[in-house]
């Protein structure tokens, strides 16, 4: 479904990602690694926010390397920011309707909001502005991605800012999302409880693909990553 072919990303005087290749065809895939390793850069390259310096990105057999954010969204890629964007003058219901690609009914919008632990009547007509907390924005963004129902949904640290809402509920949202779309959910996270739902785990360290494989194979190796040490492959 999604393939990175020798992808690198460089900014002046620094190589952020170095010749990364992987192929994703699973339900849940997690990307993890030390802070500053390049995980969020991978997500932004998938979404089209950044363009690779070299290499190709293939999605459902189509080369999307040079596609814009809008073109990738139309092709079936959704992206949830680590820090959600605020939209002054736009209501929560407006955003969900835009995400769904139709004028959603109040009951439909309420269903998406309820799934992420928000009381629909308190939020449906609120503006997506500075009056909302980071945690509220994060949940609204997850509801939007759920409403889109695309083939690939990318979440950059979705657990951030949802301390008042349990991880178990977040995981249930991802599971229901998969049941609707039968696509792939790609999650960038350090959290063990989120990594535990992954079918496969990708480890990024020092801008390189340090490891990739089944969760049961990769998970025991992650102590070095979580402590911020260089990840090394084991035989």
């Amino acid at each position: 479904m999604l393939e990175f072919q020798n992808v690198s990303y460089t900014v002046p005087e620094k190589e952020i990602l170095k010749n990364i290749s992987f192929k994703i065809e699973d339900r849940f895939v997690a990307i993890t690694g030390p802070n500053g390793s390049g995980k969020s850069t991978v997500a932004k390259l998938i979404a089209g926010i950044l363009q690779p310096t070299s290499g190709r990105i293939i999605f459902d057999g189509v080369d999307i390397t040079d596609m814009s954010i809008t073109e990738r969204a139309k092709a079936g890629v959704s992206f949830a920011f680590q820090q959600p964007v605020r939209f002054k003058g736009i209501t929560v219901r407006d955003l969900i309707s835009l995400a769904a690609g139709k004028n959603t009914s109040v009951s439909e919008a309420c269903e998406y909001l309820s799934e992420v632990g928000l009381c629909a009547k308190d939020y449906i007509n609120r503006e997506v502005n500075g009056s909302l907390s980071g945690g509220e924005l994060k949940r609204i963004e997850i509801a939007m991605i759920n409403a889109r129902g695309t083939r690939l949904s990318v979440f950059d640290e979705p657990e951030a800012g949802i301390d008042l809402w349990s991880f178990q509920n977040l995981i249930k949202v991802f599971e229901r999302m998969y049941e609707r779309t039968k696509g792939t959910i790609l999650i960038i996270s350090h959290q063990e409880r989120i990594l535990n739902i992954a079918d496969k785990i990708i480890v990024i360290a020092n801008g390189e693909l340090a490891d990739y494989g089944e969760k049961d194979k990769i998970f025991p190796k992650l102590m070095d990553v979580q402590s911020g040490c260089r990840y090394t492959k084991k035989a």
Side-chain angles (χ1 to χ4, degrees):
M1 178 209 266
L2 177 73
E3 185 175 2
F4 268 39
Q5 297 178 348
N6 305 112
V7 171
S8 296
Y9 180 71
T10 304
V11 296
E13 301 181 359
K14 187 174 183 181
E15 192 173 23
I16 308 297
L17 293 177
K18 308 168 189 175
N19 200 39
I20 287 181
S21 296
F22 60 76
K23 191 172 184 179
I24 293 172
E25 297 179 309
D26 305 271
R27 293 183 313 157
F28 299 117
V29 177
I31 298 180
T32 194
N35 290 330
S37 61
K39 303 183 302 297
S40 291
T41 300
V42 170
K44 291 175 182 176
L45 287 168
I46 294 169
I49 297 168
L50 300 175
Q51 297 292 328
T53 306
S54 61
R56 314 304 296 171
I57 301 173
I58 310 298
F59 177 61
D60 277 349
V62 177
D63 189 336
I64 64 170
T65 310
D66 299 322
M67 284 187 181
S68 67
I69 297 173
T70 301
E71 289 171 329
R72 295 187 197 203
K74 289 179 179 178
V77 178
S78 294
F79 177 71
F81 289 88
Q82 188 173 359
Q83 297 294 329
V85 179
R86 299 176 188 271
F87 299 91
K88 187 175 181 180
I90 297 179
T91 68
V92 172
R93 183 183 176 186
D94 290 337
L95 276 185
I96 292 175
S97 293
L98 286 170
K102 63 177 184 177
N103 185 22
T104 56
S105 67
V106 171
S107 62
E108 287 174 322
C110 287
E111 181 180 349
Y112 290 121
L113 292 172
S114 296
E115 283 193 11
V116 296
L118 295 176
C119 179
K121 66 182 180 64
D122 293 336
Y123 287 91
I124 193 166
N125 293 317
R126 285 185 66 176
E127 285 191 22
V128 187
N129 55 25
S131 69
L132 294 169
S133 70
E136 289 170 325
L137 286 169
K138 177 69 77 171
R139 296 195 206 185
I140 290 166
E141 186 174 50
I142 294 171
M144 287 173 57
I145 301 298
N146 204 1
R148 283 207 71 208
T150 51
R151 285 268 296 144
L152 175 63
S153 300
V154 183
F155 294 89
D156 193 353
E157 298 193 18
E159 70 275 11
I162 59 167
D163 53 306
L164 297 179
W165 190 47
S166 75
F167 276 93
Q168 193 58 44
N169 286 333
L170 179 61
I171 290 168
K172 286 179 180 177
V173 169
F174 290 144
E175 290 172 343
R176 287 193 291 264
M177 188 182 299
Y178 171 75
E179 289 304 317
R180 286 192 183 117
T181 66
K182 302 301 181 184
T184 292
I185 298 172
L186 180 63
I187 306 170
I188 296 171
S189 180
H190 294 287
Q191 293 294 331
E192 180 177 341
R193 283 171 289 185
I194 288 182
L195 297 180
N196 264 327
I197 72 169
D199 297 308
K200 291 184 179 175
I201 297 175
I202 296 171
V203 183
I204 304 293
N206 300 306
E208 299 178 320
L209 181 69
D211 218 337
Y212 177 39
E214 300 290 336
K215 176 188 66 178
D216 292 342
K217 174 189 173 186
I218 303 299
F219 205 78
K221 304 180 183 182
L222 288 176
M223 289 304 294
D224 287 340
V225 173
Q226 302 298 0
S227 64
C229 300
R230 179 177 175 83
Y231 184 89
T232 56
K233 294 182 181 179
K234 296 182 182 179

